[in-house]
Coordinates of all heavy atoms in Angstrom, one line a residue:
W288 N -20.0 -87.1 7.7 CA -20.7 -88.3 8.0 C -20.2 -89.5 7.1 O -20.1 -90.6 7.7 CB -22.2 -88.0 7.6 CG -23.0 -87.4 8.7 CD1 -23.0 -86.1 9.1 CD2 -23.9 -88.1 9.7 NE1 -23.8 -85.9 10.1 CE2 -24.3 -87.1 10.5 CE3 -24.2 -89.4 9.8 CZ2 -25.2 -87.4 11.5 CZ3 -25.1 -89.8 10.8 CH2 -25.6 -88.7 11.7
L289 N -19.9 -89.3 5.9 CA -19.5 -90.4 5.1 C -18.2 -91.0 5.6 O -18.0 -92.2 5.7 CB -19.3 -90.0 3.7 CG -20.7 -89.6 2.9 CD1 -20.4 -89.0 1.6 CD2 -21.6 -90.8 2.9
V290 N -17.3 -90.1 6.0 CA -16.0 -90.5 6.5 C -16.2 -91.3 7.9 O -15.6 -92.3 8.2 CB -15.0 -89.3 6.7 CG1 -13.8 -89.8 7.5 CG2 -14.6 -88.9 5.3
R291 N -17.1 -90.7 8.7 CA -17.4 -91.4 10.0 C -18.0 -92.8 9.9 O -17.8 -93.6 10.7 CB -18.3 -90.4 10.8 CG -17.7 -89.2 11.4 CD -18.7 -88.2 11.8 NE -19.6 -88.7 12.8 CZ -20.7 -88.0 13.2 NH1 -21.1 -86.9 12.6 NH2 -21.4 -88.6 14.2
R292 N -18.6 -93.0 8.7 CA -19.3 -94.3 8.4 C -18.3 -95.2 7.8 O -18.7 -96.3 7.5 CB -20.6 -94.1 7.6 CG -21.6 -93.2 8.2 CD -22.4 -93.8 9.4 NE -21.6 -94.0 10.6 CZ -21.4 -93.1 11.5 NH1 -21.8 -91.9 11.3 NH2 -20.7 -93.3 12.6
G293 N -17.1 -94.8 7.6 CA -16.1 -95.8 7.2 C -15.6 -95.5 5.7 O -14.8 -96.3 5.2
T294 N -16.2 -94.6 5.0 CA -15.7 -94.3 3.6 C -14.4 -93.6 3.7 O -14.3 -92.7 4.5 CB -16.8 -93.4 2.9 OG1 -18.0 -94.1 3.0 CG2 -16.5 -93.4 1.4
S295 N -13.5 -93.9 2.7 CA -12.2 -93.3 2.8 C -12.2 -91.8 2.3 O -13.2 -91.4 1.6 CB -11.2 -94.1 1.9 OG -11.6 -94.0 0.5
H296 N -11.3 -91.1 2.6 CA -11.2 -89.7 2.2 C -11.2 -89.6 0.6 O -11.9 -88.8 0.1 CB -9.9 -89.0 2.8 CG -10.0 -88.7 4.2 ND1 -9.5 -87.6 4.8 CD2 -10.6 -89.5 5.3 CE1 -9.6 -87.7 6.1 NE2 -10.3 -88.7 6.4
R297 N -10.4 -90.5 0.1 CA -10.3 -90.5 -1.4 C -11.7 -90.8 -2.1 O -12.0 -90.1 -3.0 CB -9.3 -91.5 -1.8 CG -7.9 -91.1 -1.6 CD -6.9 -92.2 -2.1 NE -5.5 -91.8 -1.8 CZ -4.5 -92.6 -2.1 NH1 -4.7 -93.8 -2.7 NH2 -3.3 -92.2 -1.8
R298 N -12.4 -91.7 -1.6 CA -13.8 -92.1 -2.1 C -14.7 -91.0 -1.9 O -15.6 -90.7 -2.8 CB -14.2 -93.4 -1.5 CG -13.4 -94.6 -2.0 CD -14.1 -95.9 -1.5 NE -15.4 -96.1 -2.2 CZ -16.2 -97.1 -1.9 NH1 -15.8 -98.1 -1.0 NH2 -17.3 -97.2 -2.5
V299 N -14.7 -90.3 -0.7 CA -15.6 -89.2 -0.6 C -15.3 -88.1 -1.6 O -16.2 -87.5 -2.2 CB -15.5 -88.7 0.9 CG1 -16.4 -87.4 1.1 CG2 -16.0 -89.8 1.8
A300 N -14.0 -87.8 -1.7 CA -13.6 -86.7 -2.5 C -14.0 -87.1 -4.1 O -14.5 -86.3 -4.8 CB -12.1 -86.4 -2.6
A301 N -13.9 -88.4 -4.4 CA -14.2 -88.9 -5.7 C -15.8 -88.7 -5.9 O -16.2 -88.4 -7.0 CB -13.9 -90.3 -5.9
G302 N -16.6 -88.9 -4.9 CA -18.0 -88.7 -5.0 C -18.3 -87.2 -5.3 O -19.3 -87.0 -6.1
Y303 N -17.7 -86.3 -4.7 CA -18.0 -85.0 -4.9 C -17.5 -84.5 -6.3 O -18.2 -83.7 -7.0 CB -17.3 -84.0 -3.9 CG -18.0 -83.9 -2.6 CD1 -18.1 -84.9 -1.6 CD2 -18.7 -82.7 -2.2 CE1 -18.8 -84.8 -0.4 CE2 -19.4 -82.5 -1.1 CZ -19.4 -83.6 -0.2 OH -20.1 -83.5 1.0
L304 N -16.4 -85.1 -6.8 CA -16.0 -84.8 -8.1 C -16.9 -85.4 -9.1 O -17.2 -84.8 -10.2 CB -14.5 -85.4 -8.3 CG -13.9 -85.2 -9.6 CD1 -13.7 -83.7 -9.9 CD2 -12.5 -85.9 -9.8
A305 N -17.5 -86.6 -8.8 CA -18.4 -87.1 -9.7 C -19.6 -86.3 -9.9 O -20.2 -86.1 -11.0 CB -18.8 -88.5 -9.2
W306 N -20.1 -85.7 -8.8 CA -21.2 -84.7 -8.9 C -20.9 -83.6 -9.8 O -21.7 -83.2 -10.6 CB -21.6 -84.2 -7.5 CG -22.5 -83.1 -7.5 CD1 -22.2 -81.7 -7.5 CD2 -24.0 -83.1 -7.6 NE1 -23.4 -81.0 -7.4 CE2 -24.5 -81.8 -7.5 CE3 -24.9 -84.1 -7.6 CZ2 -25.8 -81.5 -7.6 CZ3 -26.2 -83.9 -7.7 CH2 -26.7 -82.6 -7.6
N307 N -19.7 -83.0 -9.6 CA -19.2 -81.9 -10.4 C -19.1 -82.2 -11.9 O -19.6 -81.4 -12.7 CB -17.9 -81.4 -9.9 CG -17.9 -80.8 -8.6 OD1 -18.9 -80.2 -8.2 ND2 -16.7 -80.8 -7.8
V308 N -18.6 -83.3 -12.2 CA -18.4 -83.7 -13.6 C -19.7 -84.2 -14.3 O -20.0 -83.7 -15.5 CB -17.2 -84.7 -13.8 CG1 -17.2 -85.2 -15.2 CG2 -16.0 -84.2 -13.2
L309 N -20.4 -85.1 -13.6 CA -21.5 -85.7 -14.3 C -22.8 -84.8 -14.2 O -23.7 -85.0 -15.0 CB -21.8 -87.0 -13.5 CG -20.6 -88.0 -13.7 CD1 -21.0 -89.3 -13.0 CD2 -20.3 -88.3 -15.1
V310 N -22.9 -84.0 -13.2 CA -24.1 -83.1 -13.1 C -23.9 -81.7 -13.5 O -24.6 -81.1 -14.2 CB -24.7 -83.3 -11.6 CG1 -25.9 -82.4 -11.4 CG2 -25.1 -84.7 -11.3
C311 N -22.9 -81.1 -12.7 CA -22.7 -79.7 -12.8 C -22.2 -79.3 -14.3 O -22.7 -78.2 -14.8 CB -21.7 -79.2 -11.8 SG -22.2 -79.4 -10.1
V312 N -21.3 -79.9 -14.8 CA -20.7 -79.6 -16.2 C -21.8 -79.6 -17.2 O -22.0 -78.5 -17.9 CB -19.5 -80.5 -16.5 CG1 -19.2 -80.2 -18.0 CG2 -18.4 -80.2 -15.6
P313 N -22.6 -80.7 -17.4 CA -23.6 -80.7 -18.4 C -24.8 -79.6 -18.2 O -25.2 -78.9 -19.1 CB -24.1 -82.1 -18.5 CG -23.7 -82.7 -17.3 CD -22.5 -82.0 -16.8
V314 N -25.2 -79.5 -17.0 CA -26.2 -78.5 -16.7 C -25.8 -77.1 -16.8 O -26.4 -76.2 -17.4 CB -26.7 -78.8 -15.2 CG1 -27.8 -77.6 -14.9 CG2 -27.3 -80.1 -15.1
A315 N -24.5 -76.8 -16.4 CA -24.0 -75.5 -16.5 C -23.9 -75.1 -18.1 O -24.0 -73.9 -18.4 CB -22.6 -75.4 -15.8
W316 N -23.5 -76.1 -18.9 CA -23.3 -75.9 -20.3 C -24.7 -75.5 -20.9 O -24.8 -74.6 -21.8 CB -22.7 -77.1 -21.0 CG -22.6 -76.9 -22.5 CD1 -23.3 -77.6 -23.5 CD2 -21.7 -76.0 -23.1 NE1 -22.9 -77.1 -24.7 CE2 -21.9 -76.2 -24.5 CE3 -20.7 -75.1 -22.7 CZ2 -21.2 -75.4 -25.4 CZ3 -20.0 -74.3 -23.6 CH2 -20.2 -74.5 -25.0
I317 N -25.7 -76.2 -20.5 CA -27.1 -75.9 -21.0 C -27.4 -74.5 -20.5 O -28.0 -73.8 -21.3 CB -28.2 -77.0 -20.4 CG1 -27.8 -78.4 -21.0 CG2 -29.5 -76.5 -20.7 CD1 -28.6 -79.5 -20.4
A318 N -27.1 -74.2 -19.2 CA -27.5 -72.8 -18.8 C -26.8 -71.7 -19.6 O -27.3 -70.7 -19.8 CB -27.1 -72.7 -17.3
F319 N -25.5 -72.0 -20.0 CA -24.8 -71.1 -20.7 C -25.3 -70.9 -22.2 O -25.4 -69.8 -22.6 CB -23.3 -71.4 -20.8 CG -22.5 -70.6 -21.7 CD1 -22.2 -69.3 -21.5 CD2 -21.9 -71.3 -22.9 CE1 -21.4 -68.6 -22.4 CE2 -21.2 -70.5 -23.7 CZ -21.0 -69.2 -23.5
R320 N -25.7 -72.0 -22.8 CA -26.1 -72.0 -24.1 C -27.5 -71.5 -24.3 O -27.9 -71.0 -25.3 CB -26.0 -73.4 -24.7 CG -24.5 -73.9 -24.8 CD -23.7 -73.2 -25.8 NE -24.2 -73.4 -27.2 CZ -23.7 -72.8 -28.3 NH1 -22.7 -71.9 -28.1 NH2 -24.2 -73.1 -29.5
S321 N -28.3 -71.7 -23.2 CA -29.7 -71.3 -23.3 C -30.0 -70.4 -22.0 O -30.6 -70.9 -21.0 CB -30.7 -72.5 -23.3 OG -30.3 -73.4 -24.4
P322 N -29.7 -69.1 -22.1 CA -29.9 -68.3 -21.0 C -31.3 -68.2 -20.4 O -31.5 -68.0 -19.2 CB -29.4 -66.9 -21.5 CG -28.5 -67.2 -22.6 CD -29.0 -68.5 -23.2
A323 N -32.3 -68.4 -21.3 CA -33.7 -68.4 -20.9 C -34.0 -69.4 -19.8 O -34.8 -69.2 -19.0 CB -34.6 -68.5 -22.1
V324 N -33.3 -70.6 -19.9 CA -33.6 -71.7 -18.9 C -32.6 -71.7 -17.9 O -32.6 -72.6 -17.0 CB -33.7 -73.0 -19.6 CG1 -34.9 -72.9 -20.7 CG2 -32.4 -73.4 -20.3
A325 N -31.6 -70.8 -17.8 CA -30.5 -70.8 -16.9 C -30.9 -70.9 -15.4 O -30.5 -71.6 -14.6 CB -29.5 -69.7 -17.2
P326 N -31.9 -69.9 -15.0 CA -32.4 -70.0 -13.6 C -33.0 -71.3 -13.3 O -32.8 -71.8 -12.2 CB -33.4 -68.8 -13.5 CG -33.0 -67.9 -14.7 CD -32.5 -68.8 -15.8
A327 N -33.7 -71.9 -14.2 CA -34.4 -73.2 -14.0 C -33.2 -74.3 -13.8 O -33.4 -75.2 -13.0 CB -35.4 -73.6 -15.1

Side-chain angles (χ1 to χ4, degrees):
W288 271 81
L289 294 173
V290 169
R291 287 163 61 188
R292 302 285 71 80
T294 309
S295 69
H296 290 215
R297 288 181 180 178
R298 291 188 65 183
V299 173
Y303 278 73
L304 182 61
W306 169 267
N307 287 335
V308 174
L309 299 179
V310 177
C311 295
V312 169
V314 175
W316 180 248
I317 294 171
F319 170 68
R320 297 291 294 176
S321 303
V324 301

